Amino acid sequence: MIEREQVLHVAKLARLGLSDAEVETMAGELSGILEHVDRISALELDDVPPTSHVVELENVLRADVPHESLAQDVALASAPDPVDGAFRVPSPQAE
Amino acid sequence: MAELEAVIGLEIHVQLATKTKMFCGCELSFGDEPNIHTCPICLAHPGVLPVTNQQAILYALQIAAALECEVAPRSIFHRKNYFYPDSPKAYQISQYDIPLASNGRLGDVRIHRAHLEEDAAKTIHVGESGRIHGSSASLVDFNRGGTPLVEIVTEPDIRSAAEAASWARLLRETVRQLGVSDVNMEEGSLRVDGNISVRAAGSEELGTKTELKNMNSFRFLERGIEAELARQRELIEAGGTVAQETLHFNPGDGSLTPLRSKEEAHDYRYFPEPDLVPLAPTEAMLREARESLPELPAARIERYREQLGLAEDTAALLAADPETADYFERAAKQADGVEPRIVANWVTGELAAALRQSDDETSATESKVEPVALAALVAMVQEKKISNSSGKAVLATLVAEGGDPAAIVEREGLGQISDSGELEAIVAAAVDANPEAAEQIRAGNQKAIGAIVGAVMKETKGRADGGEVNRLIRAKLGL
Amino acid sequence: MGDVLELTAVQAHGAMSAGELDAGEYAEAWQGAAAGDELNAYLWRNEDGDGAAIAVERPCVAPIAVKDIFCTEGVPTTAGSRILEGYRPPYTSTAVRRLIEAGAPILGKTNMDEFAMGSSNENSAYGPVLNPWDRGRVPGGSSGGSAAVVAGGLAPWAIGTDTGGSIRQPAALCGIVGLKPTYGAISRYGMIAFASSLDQCGPLTRDVSDAALLLAILQGADPCDSTSVGLEQAPRLPDREDLSGLRFAVPSDLTDHVFDAGVREVFEATLETIEALGGEVGEVSLPHAEHGISAYYVIAPAEASSNLARYDGVRYGMRAGGEGDLIEMYERTRAEGFGAEVKRRIMLGTYALSSGYYEAYYGQAQKVRTKIAADFSTAFGEFDFVVTPTSPSVAFGLGEKTADPLAMYLNDFFTVPMSLAGIPAISIPAGLAEPSGGGPQLPVGFQIAAPAFGEQKLLEAAYALEQAIGFDARPQGVRGG
């Protein structure tokens, strides 16, 4: 039901590096789950509004008042590669 | 080949000048040390949640009101999912199919929609690391991440690059006068991208559009759009088709570079943001937004033209400078019997020039010239109590010292000579002293009168009314 | 005063307030008990001053175990994942802050299924948790560690999270009480997100009274969580003696899904107890509830795929080593940092939200959700509560259901509909039963669900039933068991 190509495409969207073996297993497992999940597509629900929010609240807002920010060293405390007060990452591939 | 017309729409991002970010209480900043205005929320630590900034909503409602938009009775936030280091949650909280505002207009351009979202962080790409196979790196600063943005999208109503730049200027001025943003293109608090296509003139269909980015001044905006229009025209005339792509404007040489699109680049997998509840602007919020609107440029220009009789360009000049416009109006009110347009000309003309001459670069409002003083001065000149050039001299004194024009006139003896006998005598003397000129005038050479007028002015130290002098000379010569 | 570890949290609180029990000694006694953890239930215990930022100045409430999904400043918080190994948050979650402010010392952080995804605690990167009733069996999940410490005598009470049953199901499998409050009753700020529209914090306790006390400490609207409303009134300790005048509905569409015959027997027996207490038992149809699993396994993974995207090796947590550009770094970090179940759900969720599939999957699932909520609403028009077995089976063996993800998902069959509807539900131990494969008896849970914000009525009914059932079995070696 879900082909290898689709698995690769979705893995790319999710930035998940899957091995060839994982891609194959994933295709099988996802297909099984989707088959079960697909039962809902048979239901006649055209006029039913989707639930996008469970609580019936509106306009929950915060006053525009500053709070104390983290000190620079605290902000970077867990960084895998902190450099000169910034977070260093590899660049995207040159375009 | 049929003539091609340009079809241009603009996509504008306005950074709001709130005190804090859109979804957390970190302060906004520009140019500070990196990562000193962050918190677990805008760094997207595990477990954090966004909370919407009330002021950002009000500012957005003001923008919506200024752009004459319909405000959605209920709008929601959506997540726009994509991976990039400047996007710490790997999604941007934005609005998708139910934006805050839509269907507006500014000047001749219709507004398709306006919505709220948060700004990305700043990524600086640094050079090669020096290793043979090593890739270069990027440094990320999250100070900017989370700044409130209003995104405004126009309909493709613009028909030339010049129109685009001029309309963008009007938008900038309008938003600036709301006081909701610095709208500074160089600093990035105003960003303008273009959506550009061409089609056969008169056609209703839209051609394939390209997106143009990275034009950080109005001049570059115009140049970039012009370059892209030229490129598309050339392509079509050569029999090619325009591909949908994003182009990056290079400020160095004005060229356009296509950004290579990645296949899955644009699947943002939008879904409603479950951590935020819907916005349902109340009548009170809408009223506050409407009532907080200052008189915006377009409306002020119209009022000045229709009610106060100002010329179009004077009106536009003043509308772009509300402080000076307010000064003008205060002066005009005090200037009994003087047409507002004359006061306006003094404000934009003589006063502006006098202020430029003084070294301070002060504005009219900051200057020592009280509106009531200017009003009195203009009235005195109009009533011919002092001459035009005396008026300028008094103005220079007002700029330097402030004070009351009547007192200055008295003190410096600049009152126009009202005793006609005295003036007649001076005119008679001047005519006698310039027989050649008198001869020429009698012979029909009108310009020769200048020499005699000049002599009279010199003698009276500019206190005579030029028109009256002219009349007396001619009378003396029997003309 | 006998063995202080015998005291429930309510009893201990009373004794401490009366000056009969020294709070410091009491906390130390529990620290000692926690140190005897052989169930792999704790991932971190509060010893040697390591928990300075979450210290309690003056303890006055029973010390508590906290699922490792709650951020605790300066203290390791892993969400059961390798990708957060060694991560110490710069802030503390609201739920834990309220515990600290109430005077409850934090005993430790408990093991859990990775990012709360699982029903057996076998998905933890730090090894499975063992069920104190039978160490060859699972404690349930994803709050397996929290359930195991309470059932296993390693903590007097604990907090966990419930997204599709992750408090109720492990409570049932471990023979303790587990409550999922109304969505929005307790703040989610600082609770590592799995599925934002479903996640809720809740108590795992020895009895209903302790659950009421813990709920009272935790509940409340929080300015840091826009979706929190709290409860209208603070919960009181329940004291109801019978169930007269109350009507209990059994959903006819659901109860075929029980796996173990013993579970069904205990369920039927409990219904008789309800009637003996004066309650009325009837039948109701929840026509869409059977699609709960399908809707849940679209909505939860979809939201999770977005919530877990921030684990990208940029700002904190694990970053994979080696060469490569940005995308390669992302892909390797997430491949190495996430376990198989998490990857599966991220893939499922990404697919459900992707271009062309949104309406058919996510859109449709949110409509099913609306219908399920409506079904409950209709049922509550006629009945006060809806009741089901909590879990289709008693605790199953380690490794028994790991081969087929779908089989594992079906453990949530009875608990998922309440999560989708956002209504409160509690599981109380109702008896013991033999597993279908044979063996010593294991606990069975009974689930009671109430309308949104009906926590007080729910606790009162659960209390009366609990008193009548008188469940007093214990795992071997735990407090005289």
Side-chain angles (χ1 to χ4, degrees):
Chain A
M1 193 189 176
I2 178 167
E3 302 293 329
R4 183 193 149 78
E5 281 311 304
Q6 274 182 305
V7 173
L8 289 170
H9 173 75
V10 173
K12 203 72 187 174
L13 283 177
R15 298 293 187 264
L16 272 180
L18 298 176
S19 67
D20 285 334
E22 279 177 310
V23 171
E24 222 179 285
T25 316
M26 192 68 80
E29 289 172 342
L30 291 182
S31 294
I33 297 166
L34 287 169
E35 225 178 275
H36 184 94
V37 156
D38 247 352
R39 296 180 195 180
I40 63 175
S41 54
L43 298 171
E44 273 289 312
L45 298 171
D46 286 342
D47 294 330
V48 179
T51 301
S52 63
H53 291 92
V54 187
V55 284
E56 296 200 354
L57 291 169
E58 286 174 344
N59 296 339
V60 177
L61 302 171
R62 152 184 76 83
D64 189 23
V65 171
H67 70 190
E68 210 179 299
S69 292
L70 296 174
Q72 194 192 64
D73 59 326
V74 178
L76 290 158
S78 303
D81 188 12
V83 170
D84 294 337
F87 296 82
R88 184 164 58 182
V89 293
S91 274
Q93 202 168 51
E95 299 190 356
Chain B
M1 152 158 262
E3 197 188 296
L4 295 171
E5 75 172 351
V7 178
I8 302 162
L10 297 179
E11 201 175 290
I12 300 110
H13 287 89
V14 174
Q15 262 185 5
L16 298 180
T18 49
K19 294 200 192 76
T20 64
K21 296 186 178 183
M22 186 72 207
F23 297 115
C24 71
C26 287
E27 285 184 296
L28 300 191
S29 65
F30 180 77
D32 279 352
E33 284 287 296
N35 296 301
I36 62 168
H37 299 294
T38 70
C39 73
I41 299 170
C42 55
L43 287 175
H45 272 255
V48 296
L49 297 171
V51 185
T52 308
N53 185 333
Q54 184 173 51
Q55 191 66 249
I57 305 300
L58 289 171
Y59 280 179
L61 289 174
Q62 283 180 259
I63 292 177
L67 300 181
E68 296 176 44
C69 288
E70 289 163 24
V71 173
R74 192 174 177 276
S75 68
I76 63 174
F77 288 101
H78 267 75
R79 291 191 186 179
K80 180 179 180 181
N81 298 280
Y82 67 95
F83 284 85
Y84 204 67
D86 67 5
S87 176
K89 297 187 288 294
Y91 57 86
Q92 178 198 37
I93 300 178
S94 178
Q95 295 191 292
Y96 182 53
D97 54 357
I98 315 176
L100 183 72
S102 58
N103 280 343
R105 138 168 259 119
L106 179 71
D108 295 327
V109 178
R110 292 168 301 158
I111 305 293
H112 175 58
R113 55 182 278 156
H115 74 251
L116 281 158
E117 58 185 31
E118 52 175 346
D119 209 351
K122 250 198 162 96
T123 320
I124 319 157
H125 299 282
V126 293
E128 293 298 319
S129 63
R131 292 174 295 183
I132 300 168
H133 297 294
S135 36
S136 48
S138 303
L139 295 176
V140 194
D141 169 16
F142 291 93
N143 286 345
R144 190 184 80 177
T147 302
L149 293 178
V150 169
E151 180 179 315
I152 301 165
V153 182
T154 75
E155 298 287 1
D157 291 346
I158 298 171
R159 293 285 168 269
S160 75
E163 191 188 330
S166 141
W167 186 86
R169 285 190 171 94
L170 175 62
L171 176 76
R172 181 197 177 257
E173 194 48 46
T174 304
V175 175
R176 193 185 70 80
Q177 290 188 22
L178 291 175
V180 303
S181 168
D182 295 337
V183 273
N184 181 325
M185 278 179 96
E186 279 86 57
E187 287 185 356
S189 49
L190 173 69
R191 314 203 277 259
V192 184
D193 299 330
N195 290 321
I196 299 150
S197 65
V198 296
R199 66 180 175 198
S203 161
E204 294 279 308
E205 282 178 34
L206 293 170
T208 307
K209 67 176 186 237
T210 59
E211 206 183 324
L212 208 52
K213 288 178 167 310
N214 199 46
M215 299 163 291
N216 63 1
S217 74
F218 296 114
R219 248 187 342 113
F220 285 157
L221 179 67
E222 195 170 339
R223 276 179 65 189
I225 295 177
E226 252 159 20
E228 175 56 6
L229 286 170
R231 186 190 75 86
Q232 288 195 16
R233 286 194 165 106
E234 232 178 84
L235 186 57
I236 291 175
E237 275 157 21
T241 44
V242 175
Q244 182 174 49
E245 54 187 342
T246 302
L247 296 147
H248 180 95
F249 176 80
N250 301 306
D253 59 0
S255 64
L256 303 164
T257 312
L259 296 175
R260 197 179 73 199
S261 60
K262 300 162 188 107
E263 331 94 69
E264 78 297 309
H266 300 294
D267 189 352
Y268 294 119
R269 305 184 296 289
Y270 285 100
F271 70 98
E273 170 57 84
D275 292 332
L276 294 172
V277 297
L279 292 172
T282 60
E283 190 45 54
M285 287 159 85
L286 294 171
R287 195 177 38 243
E288 187 183 335
R290 275 194 310 268
E291 286 172 5
S292 69
L293 291 192
E295 186 182 29
L296 294 171
R300 201 192 283 253
I301 291 172
E302 197 177 303
R303 179 167 66 88
Y304 281 1
R305 289 180 58 202
E306 316 227 324
Q307 292 177 27
L308 300 182
L310 266 55
E312 165 102 44
D313 44 8
T314 315
L317 211 57
L318 286 168
D321 182 358
E323 215 184 53
T324 304
D326 289 342
Y327 177 96
F328 146 68
E329 288 192 52
R330 286 203 296 285
K333 267 206 190 69
Q334 311 262 20
D336 285 329
V338 182
E339 281 175 45
R341 112 189 127 72
I342 303 206
V343 178
N345 289 340
W346 270 83
V347 170
T348 59
E350 282 86 343
L351 177 59
L355 290 171
R356 273 197 298 276
Q357 298 244 314
S358 81
D359 283 322
D360 290 340
E361 290 187 30
T362 49
S363 65
T365 315
E366 291 162 350
S367 76
K368 297 189 172 115
V369 187
E370 297 291 324
V372 65
L374 184 72
L377 177 59
V378 175
M380 279 197 286
V381 172
Q382 282 299 106
E383 292 158 19
K384 301 199 193 293
K385 288 201 183 115
I386 57 173
S387 70
N388 232 306
S389 47
S390 290
K392 284 189 195 153
V394 172
L395 185 58
T397 308
L398 285 171
V399 167
E401 305 167 5
D404 169 45
I408 295 169
V409 164
E410 171 104 21
R411 190 178 78 206
E412 313 215 348
L414 294 172
Q416 195 140 272
I417 299 179
S418 46
D419 182 347
S420 46
E422 194 191 333
L423 193 55
E424 270 176 38
I426 296 172
V427 166
V431 169
D432 289 342
N434 290 279
E436 313 83 19
E439 205 46 55
Q440 288 182 5
I441 296 165
R442 283 203 188 90
N445 182 355
Q446 299 305 319
K447 282 201 271 183
I449 204 170
I452 306 183
V453 170
V456 172
M457 284 310 197
K458 203 167 149 208
E459 182 61 30
T460 64
K461 295 190 180 59
R463 287 158 49 219
D465 174 55
E468 181 69 7
V469 166
N470 244 288
R471 196 186 64 74
L472 287 171
I473 294 171
R474 301 179 70 77
K476 181 78 179 127
L477 296 172
L479 296 170
Chain C
M1 180 153 222
D3 183 3
V4 297
L5 301 183
E6 276 295 303
L7 299 170
T8 65
V10 168
Q11 290 167 341
H13 183 62
M16 282 188 277
S17 305
E20 289 161 12
L21 175 64
D22 180 84
E25 281 172 23
Y26 179 63
E28 266 177 48
W30 273 111
Q31 265 195 316
D37 175 22
E38 291 172 1
L39 306 172
N40 197 30
Y42 280 110
L43 292 178
W44 174 86
R45 276 178 303 105
N46 197 349
E47 292 173 327
D48 309 323
D50 197 19
I54 56 168
V56 170
E57 294 294 309
R58 276 190 307 280
C60 56
V61 165
I64 189 162
V66 168
K67 183 176 183 179
D68 206 22
I69 201 171
F70 292 92
C71 284
T72 39
E73 187 181 338
V75 162
T77 302
T78 67
S81 179
R82 191 66 63 198
I83 215 166
L84 286 177
E85 189 170 13
Y87 170 70
R88 290 175 188 248
Y91 77 108
T92 296
S93 60
T94 298
V96 174
R97 231 186 358 89
R98 292 179 90 107
L99 292 172
I100 294 170
E101 281 163 15
I106 309 301
L107 273 173
K109 309 294 290 298
T110 58
N111 201 345
M112 52 179 283
D113 278 305
E114 189 181 359
F115 286 107
M117 300 183 196
S119 312
S120 65
N121 220 129
E122 291 171 290
N123 292 330
S124 169
Y126 302 96
V129 173
L130 313 179
N131 190 321
W133 293 83
D134 176 345
R135 294 183 184 187
R137 293 178 182 264
V138 304
S142 60
S143 309
S146 285
V149 296
V150 175
L154 303 169
W157 56 359
I159 57 171
T161 61
D162 191 308
T163 305
S166 290
I167 285 176
R168 293 163 283 160
Q169 187 254 19
L173 268 50
C174 288
I176 60 168
V177 172
L179 168 69
K180 181 200 85 66
T182 307
Y183 183 86
I186 300 178
S187 169
R188 290 184 296 118
Y189 185 70
M191 215 168 88
I192 298 179
F194 157 24
S196 316
S197 74
L198 296 159
D199 295 341
Q200 267 296 281
C201 164
L204 290 104
T205 58
R206 285 193 229 164
D207 65 17
V208 175
S209 300
D210 278 5
L213 178 57
L214 194 39
L215 179 64
I217 294 172
L218 294 165
Q219 69 88 23
D222 180 14
C224 293
D225 176 359
S226 302
T227 62
S228 69
V229 280
L231 300 172
E232 272 159 12
Q233 287 174 322
R236 302 177 306 278
L237 289 180
D239 58 9
R240 204 186 165 104
E241 285 173 358
D242 61 39
L243 298 173
S244 46
L246 296 175
R247 294 158 299 160
F248 295 76
V250 177
S252 45
D253 326 78
L254 291 187
T255 37
D256 290 336
H257 285 81
V258 171
F259 300 152
D260 290 341
V263 167
R264 180 186 299 290
E265 277 163 31
V266 170
F267 181 68
E268 306 280 341
T270 312
L271 296 178
E272 282 168 26
T273 307
I274 288 175
E275 284 175 327
L277 285 170
E280 251 179 72
V281 175
E283 234 185 51
V284 82
S285 172
L286 299 175
H288 298 87
E290 62 165 321
H291 298 292
I293 293 285
S294 303
Y296 177 82
Y297 279 99
V298 169
I299 295 169
E303 292 179 7
S305 70
S306 178
N307 285 327
L308 269 62
R310 68 190 59 193
Y311 304 107
D312 57 9
V314 173
R315 290 149 286 109
Y316 50 75
M318 194 201 105
R319 180 191 293 190
E323 304 290 310
D325 66 12
L326 181 66
I327 294 186
E328 284 163 341
M329 185 279 275
Y330 282 153
E331 290 181 347
R332 270 209 314 279
T333 296
R334 292 159 65 76
E336 289 170 27
F338 289 141
E341 182 61 37
V342 168
K343 286 182 191 169
R344 223 175 347 253
R345 297 204 196 185
I346 290 176
M347 291 289 291
L348 195 49
T350 306
Y351 180 76
L353 291 173
S354 67
S355 177
Y357 294 100
Y358 178 91
E359 272 314 316
Y361 287 109
Y362 193 77
Q364 189 76 344
Q366 293 287 38
K367 291 182 178 188
V368 170
R369 183 175 194 171
T370 304
K371 290 303 261 185
I372 290 176
D375 286 353
F376 274 111
S377 251
T378 306
F380 289 132
E382 253 193 271
F383 293 89
D384 299 289
F385 306 103
V386 170
V387 293
T388 73
T390 307
S391 165
S393 69
V394 295
F396 43 92
L398 289 160
E400 195 182 305
K401 299 199 185 185
T402 47
D404 179 8
L406 198 51
M408 188 66 85
Y409 297 167
L410 290 172
N411 286 308
D412 300 331
F413 192 80
F414 296 115
T415 48
V416 150
M418 295 77 177
S419 302
L420 289 167
I423 61 177
I426 192 169
S427 176
I428 62 172
L432 297 170
E434 232 183 70
S436 30
Q441 294 199 314
L442 296 162
V444 176
F446 184 81
Q447 176 178 232
I448 312 172
F453 303 105
E455 271 81 346
Q456 193 60 44
K457 280 181 68 178
L458 179 62
L459 290 163
E460 298 287 353
Y463 174 79
L465 188 54
E466 167 194 71
Q467 297 301 301
I469 292 171
F471 181 88
D472 61 0
R474 291 169 187 201
Q476 219 171 32
V478 177
R479 299 194 313 278

